[in-house]
Amino acid sequence: QERYDVITWFLPFVTKYPLRKWGLPGSLFKPVDQLQHIYGRLKEGGTLLIANKEEKERDIQLDLLRHLRIPFQPPERFEPEWIAYAPRYIVVIQKPSP
């Protein structure tokens, strides 16, 4: 129930494929519920950073944020040398203050 100033969320499951590849049951695939929970743990004025893999997952993540009406900044492409085979996208969410 604690709230945090900053939360980082790396490669959340936004499609069932990676969930299955990790050997997890499909019943755990609840991206809307998980996003709501993570956002709910964020303090007002806090920042949430989400890192997604490739364009498809980025677009799904943005659709989830829009569906939940969570404001976000346009995602930034992040291509470190050590992950050159798959671009990452960083979405920054600043929870509004009252």
Side-chain angles (χ1 to χ4, degrees):
Q1 297 301 318
E2 289 199 35
R3 300 203 186 274
Y4 302 94
D5 293 312
V6 176
I7 298 173
T8 56
W9 196 9
F10 297 96
L11 307 176
F13 294 122
V14 294
T15 66
K16 287 185 178 182
Y17 177 76
L19 185 88
R20 281 183 263 158
K21 293 297 279 184
W22 280 61
L24 299 170
S27 62
L28 294 179
F29 183 69
K30 299 178 182 180
V32 172
D33 294 344
Q34 291 172 336
L35 180 55
Q36 278 183 308
H37 176 77
I38 294 293
Y39 188 70
R41 301 285 61 88
L42 193 61
K43 287 182 181 178
E44 292 174 347
T47 302
L48 169 60
L49 300 172
I50 303 175
N52 296 105
K53 181 178 139 183
E54 301 174 342
E55 291 84 3
K56 179 181 176 184
E57 290 192 7
R58 175 207 58 198
D59 292 345
I60 294 168
Q61 185 70 64
L62 297 180
D63 287 343
L64 291 169
L65 290 164
R66 287 183 193 105
H67 172 75
L68 293 173
R69 301 178 197 266
I70 296 173
F72 60 90
Q73 297 174 19
E76 302 248 349
R77 188 176 172 121
F78 177 66
E79 292 187 74
E81 292 178 19
W82 48 275
I83 311 181
Y85 63 90
R88 304 292 193 242
Y89 290 87
I90 308 297
V91 179
V92 178
I93 296 136
Q94 186 82 35
K95 193 168 191 178
S97 297

